[in-house]
Amino acid sequence: MRRLTTLMCVATAATALSGPVAAASQDEMIELGRDVFHDKTRGNCISCHSIDDPVANLPGNQGPMMVAMKQRFPDKRKLRAQVWDATVANPLSIMPPIGKHWILSEEEIDAVVEYIYQY
């Protein structure tokens, strides 16, 4: 019984202590999303999608523009699903399945969604 109580206390303390540390603020998520979106070695989103951000350098035009994202995707989960694997909604999509093929981590996908959702 003592061992179970100790394990429960340790688990509770670890959860309580890691919560704020693990959870990034909204601004940090947007900054990470911006970095991934524009980094040609990670997400490389900028190669196909243009976005109205002053840091955008040589955006592509093969994919849809990142405009009116809240109107186009009122449910942010659908936008995330689209980023994770665009071929679910459109089997002929040329966008690589970012999550399905582990191109980005789940955290990076969430960050990119937060970043583009503000446009």
Side-chain angles (χ1 to χ4, degrees):
M1 184 67 168
R2 181 183 295 178
R3 187 174 192 190
L4 177 62
T5 305
T6 303
L7 287 174
M8 289 177 61
C9 289
V10 169
T12 303
T15 303
L17 292 175
S18 67
V21 174
S25 74
Q26 184 78 8
D27 292 338
E28 291 170 334
M29 286 291 283
I30 290 172
E31 187 64 31
L32 174 60
R34 173 188 278 161
D35 292 344
V36 171
F37 188 93
H38 295 279
D39 188 343
K40 296 198 185 276
T41 63
R42 290 190 343 204
N44 202 18
C45 309
I46 194 70
S47 291
C48 296
H49 301 279
S50 63
I51 193 164
D52 189 24
D53 189 333
V55 301
N57 187 16
L58 299 172
N61 61 4
Q62 287 187 322
M65 293 180 62
M66 299 294 108
V67 295
M69 298 307 288
K70 290 179 184 170
Q71 289 79 21
R72 290 169 50 200
F73 294 94
D75 184 356
K76 198 187 296 187
R77 293 174 299 180
K78 289 187 179 184
L79 174 58
R80 188 188 191 287
Q82 182 73 8
V83 172
W84 201 86
D85 185 2
T87 62
V88 171
N90 178 7
L92 300 176
S93 176
I94 62 171
M95 181 173 166
I98 302 290
K100 183 178 170 182
H101 290 174
W102 305 310
I103 296 169
L104 296 177
S105 69
E106 297 296 319
E107 179 186 13
E108 289 172 324
I109 292 171
D110 290 339
V112 167
V113 168
E114 289 299 322
Y115 170 63
I116 64 177
Y117 202 68
Q118 66 183 340
Y119 291 97

